[in-house]
Amino acid sequence: QLELEESGGDSVQPGGSLRLSCEVSGNTYNLGYLAWLRQAPGKEHEVVAAIIWPTGDTYYDDSVEGRFTISRVKAKKALYLQMNRLGPEDTAMYYCVASERYSIGGEWTRPTFYDIWGKGTQVTVSV
């Protein structure tokens, strides 16, 4: 029932910043988790940041090293990813993903937990 749509991807220079947005449509009554996944060419999907929708608790992958901030505004049914000090290693397709499932332990920090996906937005960091 939920639909996700990302926006904000762009081509930027190293050291630059981007703010990704995700619009959530549908009933969020049972929404448990939202996350930002990314896939670089030739690499597996990875969760870079995740948030528990009802509580606001967050998770970050070590690779973002405090550079990224995930947030949500429940009243607007919106998810954001603020990305600072971007480097070429951050080049990837970024996906907004969601799950209405119950997480056992750290499942919500792994890509396989999420079954509702947006279509993605491309982030390219290069000179």
Side-chain angles (χ1 to χ4, degrees):
Q1 297 182 34
L2 293 175
E3 293 186 358
L4 310 174
E5 184 174 4
E6 309 94 331
S7 62
D10 205 349
S11 180
V12 298
Q13 294 182 335
S17 297
L18 285 174
R19 184 176 177 85
L20 305 184
S21 298
C22 175
E23 298 179 356
V24 181
S25 60
N27 192 346
T28 60
Y29 185 79
N30 294 317
L31 179 59
Y33 305 86
L34 283 167
W36 290 98
L37 273 60
R38 69 183 181 188
Q39 185 178 38
K43 296 186 177 181
E44 298 290 330
H45 292 97
E46 62 177 349
V47 175
V48 297
I51 189 167
I52 302 177
W53 184 261
T55 67
D57 291 3
T58 57
Y59 160 84
Y60 296 96
D61 188 81
D62 290 342
S63 64
V64 304
E65 300 177 349
R67 298 177 295 120
F68 293 5
T69 301
I70 188 172
S71 62
R72 91 286 196 241
V73 180
K74 294 172 67 177
K76 297 180 179 180
K77 297 198 294 184
L79 180 74
Y80 305 99
L81 183 68
Q82 179 66 46
M83 303 184 294
N84 298 326
R85 308 197 323 269
L86 287 163
E89 302 81 10
D90 298 311
T91 295
M93 182 71 73
Y94 285 72
Y95 298 90
C96 177
V97 298
S99 178
E100 297 175 319
R101 300 164 57 190
Y102 294 101
S103 177
I104 301 175
E107 286 185 322
W108 65 297
T109 69
R110 297 190 288 271
T112 54
F113 180 71
Y114 297 93
D115 53 4
I116 304 172
W117 288 53
K119 294 183 178 180
T121 185
Q122 179 68 40
V123 172
T124 301
V125 186
S126 65
V127 178

